[in-house]
Amino acid sequence: MNVLVTAGPTREPIDPVRYLTNRSSGKMGYALASAFAARGHHVLLVSGPTILEVPEAVDFLRIETAAEMHAAVEQSISRQQIVICAAAVADYRPAMVAAQKIKKHDESLILELVRTVDILGSIRQPMGFTGKLIGFAAETERLEEHAREKLLGKGCDLIIANDVSQPGIGFDANENKVLLVYRDHSVSLPQSSKSHLAEELANIILNI
Ligand code: CTP
């Protein structure tokens, strides 16, 4: 099968030397890409900047901004059977990118931010994708409720939800503990390493 995975953070430029970003190592997305490739599937990994090595036998596209990630997904969507959005996409970007480095003048500085495109939210419509669509939800409260809202709102088959307020799991950590949220039920998986979890998740996703 053809599998597209988005991973890592996006960077939204403020000026030539500064950007807005999210806390994300990319580990979960890279581990998933690797698990699908190891099962013989054809994987395209679209990734924001990370320090990770590109997994073996994976097609790789590096992007910086949410707009670039969106364009890369849109361009390849017609070839995909499974799409997994594991990227921590910045929800807002500066309304204007300064051409020159912003110098400090005043005691405070107000940045105007505007929404970025919701990549996962635009895959069913307008992109018209009919394959298996899997998203992530990073939440600090009411995990299942918020994850199910995302599942329904973005037309996903599965949301992999994790509580990022718990120390030692989620962002930047090597381990994760997730709740699988489907339309009519949820399943909690035990805490484990991201690579072990990715193996388990690949099998689960292939069985949807
Ligand atoms: N996502 C995306 N494009 C965005 C924002 C999010 O593709 N601009 C995807 C993420 O990759 C993830 C899912 O949407 O699979 C949920 O991301 P999250 O940040 O938890 O949720 P949001 O939809 O941004 O909602 P909120 O920030 O309000 O919780």
Side-chain angles (χ1 to χ4, degrees), residues 85 87 89 91 116-120 135-138 150 154:
C85 289
V89 183
D91 288 322
T116 57
V117 57
D118 183 349
I119 301 165
L120 176 59
F136 276 76
K150 283 176 191 170
K154 303 189 190 205

Side-chain angles (χ1 to χ4, degrees), residues 43-200:
V43 180
L44 171 62
L45 176 60
V46 178
S47 174
T50 76
I51 56 161
L52 304 174
E53 262 181 51
V54 178
E56 262 176 56
V58 160
D59 284 343
F60 184 74
L61 223 101
R62 188 193 187 280
I63 55 78
E64 292 257 328
T65 64
E68 286 169 8
M69 183 173 275
H70 179 262
V73 170
E74 193 170 40
Q75 212 247 318
S76 69
I77 198 76
S78 63
R79 295 194 292 280
Q80 309 302 334
Q81 276 105 33
I82 299 177
V83 175
I84 305 168
C85 289
V89 183
D91 288 322
Y92 291 88
R93 63 173 170 81
M96 299 224 298
V97 183
Q100 306 301 332
K101 184 181 174 191
I102 300 171
K103 303 301 277 179
K104 49 182 169 303
H105 298 294
D106 304 328
E107 280 309 306
S108 66
L109 171 73
I110 294 172
L111 273 182
E112 187 189 352
L113 303 179
V114 293
R115 288 280 297 270
T116 57
V117 57
D118 183 349
I119 301 165
L120 176 59
S122 59
I123 289 177
R124 288 282 184 229
Q125 284 308 327
M127 289 188 210
F129 179 68
T130 55
K132 293 183 209 181
L133 184 59
I134 291 88
F136 276 76
E139 306 292 347
T140 55
E141 55 168 5
R142 294 189 288 165
L143 184 63
E144 185 166 1
E145 186 187 328
H146 285 147
R148 186 152 288 112
E149 274 170 22
K150 283 176 191 170
L151 177 94
L152 298 174
K154 303 189 190 205
C156 297
D157 299 296
L158 167 65
I159 288 278
I160 302 162
N162 65 311
D163 182 346
V164 289
S165 67
Q166 303 264 325
I169 58 170
F171 288 135
D172 273 339
N174 284 319
E175 297 212 331
N176 207 352
K177 182 178 185 320
V178 300
L179 179 72
L180 304 182
V181 179
Y182 299 91
R183 279 170 189 266
D184 50 359
H185 71 292
S186 312
V187 180
S188 177
L189 297 184
Q191 182 167 335
S192 66
S193 72
K194 286 186 177 173
S195 53
H196 179 265
L197 189 61
E199 299 295 332
E200 222 177 329

Side-chain angles (χ1 to χ4, degrees), residues 1-5 33 35-44 57 59 79-84 129-134 202-208:
M1 281 211 252
N2 289 338
V3 185
L4 170 69
V5 181
F36 277 96
R39 282 162 180 71
H41 298 284
H42 184 260
V43 180
L44 171 62
D59 284 343
R79 295 194 292 280
Q80 309 302 334
Q81 276 105 33
I82 299 177
V83 175
I84 305 168
F129 179 68
T130 55
K132 293 183 209 181
L133 184 59
I134 291 88
N203 294 336
I204 289 168
I205 291 166
L206 287 165
N207 276 319
I208 290 177

